[in-house]
Amino acid sequence: MRPFAYAQATSAADAVAVAGRDPSAAFLAGGTELLNLMRDGLAAPGLVVDVNAVPAKGISFGEEVIRIGALARMAEVAREPRVRDRLPVLSQALLAGASAQVRNAASVGGNLMQRTRCWYFRDAAMPCNTRVPGSGCPAIGGENRWHAILGGSDACIKVHPSDLAVALTALDATVVTHDRRIPITEFYRLPGSTPHVETALRPGELIVAVEIPAAGAGFRSGYRKVRDRASFEFALVSVAVSLDLDGGTVRQARIALGGVAPRPWRALAAENAVRGRRLTPDVLRAAGEAAVEGAAPREHNAFKVELVRRTVADVLERVGGGR
Amino acid sequence: MEEDAKGRFSRRQVLAASTALAAATTVAPGGARPAAAGAAPEIVGPGEVRVALRVNGQVRETLVEPRVTLLDALREKLDLTGTKKGCDHGECGACTVLVDGVRVKSCLTLAIMREGAEITTIEGLADGSRLHPMQVAFLERDAFQCGFCTPGQILSAVGLLKEGRPRSRDEIREGMSGNLCRCSAYPNIVDAVADVAEVPR
Ligand SMILES: Cc1cc2nc3c(=O)[nH]c(=O)nc-3n(C[C@H](O)[C@H](O)[C@H](O)COP(=O)(O)OP(=O)(O)OC[C@H]3O[C@@H](n4cnc5c(N)ncnc54)[C@H](O)[C@@H]3O)c2cc1C
Ligand code: FES
Ligand code: FES
């Protein structure tokens, strides 16, 4: 790990101001991702700005929005009784991520900013277009079992690893920074020919909160994460669903996929397949099929296509049927 | 140091030795690093910075670069080597300690971030020479082989119970999934935690 200078900020304004003094500065929240990135030579900030004392904590339940501070911890949000009751998809996604110790330290803002777990990205000795633009993407012709089947490009087929971001996509959340608001669907960038640009965040821009429309708290929702072991593992495929039901008929649906694309993947075609319908076996099957429209699997990950179909159908049935 | 019949050192001996080894710089609680309201935050480092850590009820001051993890500060600076380094990446749980009563991985946090917090390591879990009930349960259930993961397992289990009593063995397994055991003593570890949590078999 390269040596760095360190400062503790006590307000968002201070954090932004002090970070502005060094173009390489990084914010530090829980540290559960930044420390690994620095240790592995994937980040080398000259200045680390600890934002843990910035008052961007806690969860508030307003009439219009539910606001979660960027420094709220994953465990704290997952355990909050009103989150469990009214936003089960959020609580379930958080609890499906990492381990208890990591969830106790990791913040919501840091979670959204975590980098891909692609093993070529994580190994500083390997080429990687995300890390070193133009160096190539060994995943495309290499070990790509974990990689994207949707949204990838000739330059990069990473997947975004956050479970939280998938749930927030299904909840139509907005990322609030110190000076603007970014809908979560516009927060993450697809790689295209510039895979090193991953989010809409400007350097030195601080996330202060995430907001969820309060209406979503009336919907049924749920998350399912399919992985290689039962706990403490990233998703091969995950599905977050939020359903506004009128009796047995779907009024509105939001469906988001994790583990399959460089960003949380909103499955619009699957949403269309269920809107205005009852969740019969045929409709569930059609939704699963629609979710993988345009999928481009690679040598080792074709299994994800079927996994998405089945997981989408399963979560829709479970959430819609109250199973 | 005298070993007992099983070749173990008594806790008291280990404690005494580690206290003697540690540079005895006991100071008042620190944590004055954040700037007063209005003033710009102070930038420190990248060289060594004086940091006061409150470990096992004792405030101890040490010099660390900002990049030093809590794990390395405990082991290398404070000679508290009960906390183990397995992966140094948050994946194995061997470095688990309690910070303000909450279990975290000490390889994923900086020492300088934890100034003023109450840190509990395996060395500080017992009450004098009376072992913590979780330590007793690990002994009784033979919940280890090589013992490398054990300090982390025990601190993690203590943290788990503080988060709410697990109601089943499955909940224990899930709650302890951040702690790997290369010797695969898992069934006995679950037994030990279940004993203290009073989860029926
Ligand atoms: C072993 C392991 C397993 C994991 N498994 C999962 C998993 O299954 N699912 C999952 O979703 N996650 C998983 N994670 C990732 C974990 O959730 C993240 O490490 C964590 O959420 C990051 O939060 P943090 O507060 O520790 O961030 P930090 O490490 O403090 O910061 C991470 C990044 O975000 C930036 N940042 C932090 N806060 C802000 C802010 N407010 N505004 C702007 N930028 C900011 C930092 O500069 C840094 O670049 C795992 C992590 C580990 C170590
Ligand atoms: S050494 Fe910290 S989790 Fe492995
Ligand atoms: S007892 Fe050997 S690693 Fe767990």
Side-chain angles (χ1 to χ4, degrees), chain A residues 25-37 51 70-71 73-74 93 96-99 102 105-115 117 161-165 201 205-208 225 227 232-235, chain B residues 89-91 105 108:
Chain A
F27 295 121
L28 170 70
T32 64
E33 167 73 333
L34 185 61
L35 264 60
N36 279 341
L37 294 175
V51 294
L71 285 156
R73 308 294 146 168
M74 290 170 71
S99 69
V102 174
S107 69
V108 164
N111 185 297
L112 295 181
M113 292 304 289
Q114 65 179 299
R115 311 289 304 273
R117 311 307 282 202
S162 167
D163 293 293
L164 170 64
L201 220 59
E205 190 171 4
L206 183 74
I207 303 174
V208 296
K225 180 174 180 181
R227 43 189 161 173
F232 198 20
E233 184 56 281
F234 290 92
Chain B
H89 276 80
E91 288 162 11
K105 291 177 173 174
L108 292 184

Side-chain angles (χ1 to χ4, degrees), chain B residues 21-194:
Chain B
L21 271 172
T25 46
T26 303
V27 295
R33 212 167 306 279
E42 181 196 354
I43 299 178
V44 297
E48 288 189 331
V49 182
R50 192 165 294 279
V51 170
L53 292 173
R54 181 187 283 275
V55 186
N56 301 328
Q58 242 198 342
V59 178
R60 294 176 60 188
E61 205 173 76
T62 176
L63 284 173
V64 291
E65 292 179 24
R67 65 174 165 164
V68 172
T69 61
L70 177 59
L71 172 61
D72 284 344
L74 289 170
R75 291 181 54 87
E76 311 292 334
K77 295 286 182 170
L78 304 180
D79 286 308
L80 291 169
T81 54
T83 307
K84 300 303 178 200
K85 185 189 282 193
C87 64
D88 211 17
H89 276 80
E91 288 162 11
C92 74
C95 66
T96 303
V97 300
L98 303 181
V99 175
D100 292 330
V102 173
R103 53 179 168 156
V104 303
K105 291 177 173 174
S106 60
C107 69
L108 292 184
T109 190
L110 299 174
I112 197 169
M113 290 167 68
R114 300 305 186 175
E115 186 155 50
E118 182 65 62
I119 296 153
T120 307
T121 70
I122 194 70
E123 289 92 342
L125 204 53
D127 177 8
S129 59
R130 242 189 51 237
L131 291 180
H132 186 282
M134 195 61 77
Q135 291 174 304
V136 175
F138 268 65
L139 283 169
E140 281 177 352
R141 288 295 187 172
D142 200 14
F144 47 82
Q145 288 182 40
C146 77
F148 190 83
C149 71
T150 312
Q153 299 278 2
I154 291 175
L155 268 307
S156 187
V158 171
L160 169 69
L161 264 57
K162 283 178 191 265
E163 288 161 16
R165 200 166 281 275
R167 286 159 301 181
S168 65
R169 296 174 69 82
D170 276 350
E171 283 189 14
I172 294 173
R173 282 192 201 94
E174 169 60 34
M176 293 292 292
S177 71
N179 292 80
L180 307 190
C181 174
R182 292 297 297 271
C183 302
S184 207
Y186 297 113
N188 306 43
I189 293 170
V190 175
D191 285 345
V193 181

Side-chain angles (χ1 to χ4, degrees), chain A residues 70-213:
Chain A
L71 285 156
R73 308 294 146 168
M74 290 170 71
E76 166 196 351
V77 179
R79 268 203 300 266
E80 158 67 44
R82 283 173 297 180
V83 170
R84 287 211 305 231
D85 278 4
R86 296 162 62 184
L87 303 168
V89 64
L90 182 57
S91 175
Q92 290 165 16
L94 284 165
L95 291 174
S99 69
Q101 293 101 314
V102 174
R103 295 192 296 266
N104 283 339
S107 69
V108 164
N111 185 297
L112 295 181
M113 292 304 289
Q114 65 179 299
R115 311 289 304 273
T116 181
R117 311 307 282 202
C118 170
W119 34 64
Y120 299 110
F121 169 77
R122 292 271 163 177
D123 182 347
M126 296 297 294
C128 168
N129 285 329
T130 292
R131 195 164 17 79
V132 183
S135 61
C137 174
I140 287 173
E143 290 297 332
N144 48 34
R145 178 170 183 270
W146 277 67
H147 290 76
I149 57 169
L150 291 160
S153 72
D154 291 344
C156 178
I157 53 168
K158 68 190 156 202
V159 297
H160 196 271
S162 167
D163 293 293
L164 170 64
V166 179
L168 290 177
T169 301
L171 291 170
D172 197 12
T174 297
V175 178
V176 184
T177 77
H178 73 280
D179 68 356
R180 63 184 172 138
R181 310 165 53 80
I182 311 166
I184 187 112
T185 44
E186 290 163 30
F187 188 74
Y188 294 104
R189 295 284 156 85
L190 286 179
S193 57
T194 53
H196 57 287
V197 184
E198 298 190 303
T199 71
L201 220 59
R202 295 185 307 263
E205 190 171 4
L206 183 74
I207 303 174
V208 296
V210 162
E211 288 185 353
I212 297 167

